[in-house]
Amino acid sequence: MTDTAPVAWVTGGTGGIGTAICRALAKEGYRVVAGYHNAEKAKGWLAQQQADGFDNITLSGIDLVDYASCEAGVREIREQHGPISVLVNCAGITRDGTLKKMSPEQWHEVIDTNLNSVFNTCRSVISDMLEQGYGRIVNISSINGRKGQFGQVNYAAAKAGMHGLTMSLAQETASKGITVNTLSPGYVATDMIMKIADEIRDGIRQGIPVKRFGTPEEIARAVVFLADKESGFITGANLDINGGQFMG
Ligand code: CAA
């Protein structure tokens, strides 16, 4: 790691897909700031990364749902490491349930964490990216934002909304050296899909043409590609990585 290494902020960095993204970006030489929600889990997570030789990964406990926390956290990252040039919005939660049973809290929690957070993070980093004349934003959406999903009106709405933000911000920043793209993973083998009842999960797997769930690393390699400075002609795009489960 050198002092001039570009800084990448990965929200949800300690999660299933987030961890693979942090490690893949760190391998590419970025100084990676991994966002976390659970401080206790994050401490052990960082120790594991360091044990695995990743000394260019650090942590940040920014509350993504709180705009002031995002602004203050980004200022802190800039002071400690330099301006952020890559932002990966990977933080996300599920609160599944059919609409007839869904509480307003289930709706708001998911919209706040999965969508409002993306406004907060993008708004907090955009001035620095404009000043640098360079930036890469990758929004991790979902196959279910593309096709909808039984039991996920909240999650699908947030993930579809994310791509609206992507396309709009891409237009606003295209002439400024900044790209903004969406990546829509299908079902990836992480703790999030382990929350689905076994028989439903098995049914989903059967419906995936490649007949397996994806791996976090298969998502991370596409993030590295979109974050690369040579990928400057790709903006406002959505990249589906779902084993053929949805072809839009
Ligand atoms: N399509 C049509 N009907 C369905 C259905 C489907 N996919 N799934 C269930 N049903 C039917 C059932 O057969 C049942 O019918 P009857 O009432 O006639 O018996 C009825 O719908 C069940 O309705 P309930 O409201 O009682 O549902 P429930 O409480 O039993 O379960 C649920 C609802 C928890 C949401 C469950 O369906 C579920 O877990 N679904 C999977 C949701 C999912 O895929 N989540 C993804 C999480 S991972 C993720 O989000 C990461 C990512 O980006 C991919």
Side-chain angles (χ1 to χ4, degrees):
M1 174 174 60
T2 68
D3 281 341
T4 54
V7 177
W9 177 25
V10 181
T11 75
T14 58
I17 294 178
T19 299
I21 293 172
C22 288
R23 292 165 70 103
L25 289 171
K27 273 188 199 152
E28 292 294 310
Y30 292 91
R31 273 178 291 175
V32 176
V33 180
Y36 65 86
H37 190 57
N38 177 330
E40 205 44 51
K41 176 186 159 194
K43 251 169 55 189
W45 180 90
L46 186 62
Q48 183 63 56
Q49 306 319 309
Q50 285 168 347
D52 292 343
F54 292 100
D55 57 3
N56 51 347
I57 298 181
T58 56
L59 289 170
S60 168
I62 293 171
D63 179 1
L64 303 174
V65 169
D66 178 39
Y67 180 70
S69 172
C70 280
E71 269 214 322
V74 166
R75 201 177 317 123
E76 209 169 287
I77 293 171
R78 187 193 309 119
E79 280 160 11
Q80 282 181 10
H81 307 287
I84 291 164
S85 46
V86 174
L87 165 64
V88 184
N89 281 303
C90 187
I93 58 169
T94 54
R95 296 289 181 267
D96 292 357
T98 51
L99 179 79
K100 69 178 182 221
K101 294 183 188 165
M102 187 176 287
S103 67
E105 289 72 26
Q106 279 174 287
W107 169 264
H108 287 297
E109 254 190 282
V110 169
I111 299 296
D112 278 345
T113 306
N114 297 12
L115 181 60
N116 290 338
S117 67
V118 181
F119 167 78
N120 292 340
T121 59
C122 290
R123 181 69 184 83
S124 299
V125 303
I126 203 68
S127 301
D128 280 351
M129 288 186 176
L130 290 167
E131 202 167 297
Q132 293 174 85
Y134 182 81
R136 297 280 180 264
I137 298 177
V138 183
N139 291 327
I140 308 298
S141 178
S142 165
I143 183 174
N144 293 341
R146 306 266 292 135
K147 70 168 184 56
Q149 169 61 39
F150 186 102
Q152 285 201 311
V153 295
N154 49 2
Y155 187 88
K159 293 299 189 179
M162 218 182 209
H163 190 51
L165 186 154
T166 290
M167 292 187 291
S168 304
L169 185 57
Q171 292 178 33
E172 294 179 17
T173 57
S175 63
K176 315 285 185 197
I178 301 167
T179 67
V180 190
N181 290 291
T182 298
L183 199 159
S184 296
Y187 284 74
V188 175
T190 65
D191 287 349
M192 189 181 263
I193 72 164
M194 293 316 285
K195 288 185 196 153
I196 307 171
D198 289 354
E199 61 286 3
I200 295 179
R201 199 174 54 247
D202 285 346
I204 291 170
R205 185 171 35 219
Q206 287 311 314
I208 302 173
V210 302
K211 298 292 176 209
R212 65 172 176 86
F213 296 126
T215 66
E217 290 71 25
E218 287 173 308
I219 307 305
R221 67 197 297 273
V223 174
V224 168
F225 169 70
L226 291 171
D228 197 281
K229 65 179 185 316
E230 301 301 323
S231 297
F233 204 54
I234 309 173
T235 195
N238 173 64
L239 178 56
D240 289 315
I241 305 183
N242 59 34
Q245 192 186 353
F246 177 76
M247 305 176 188

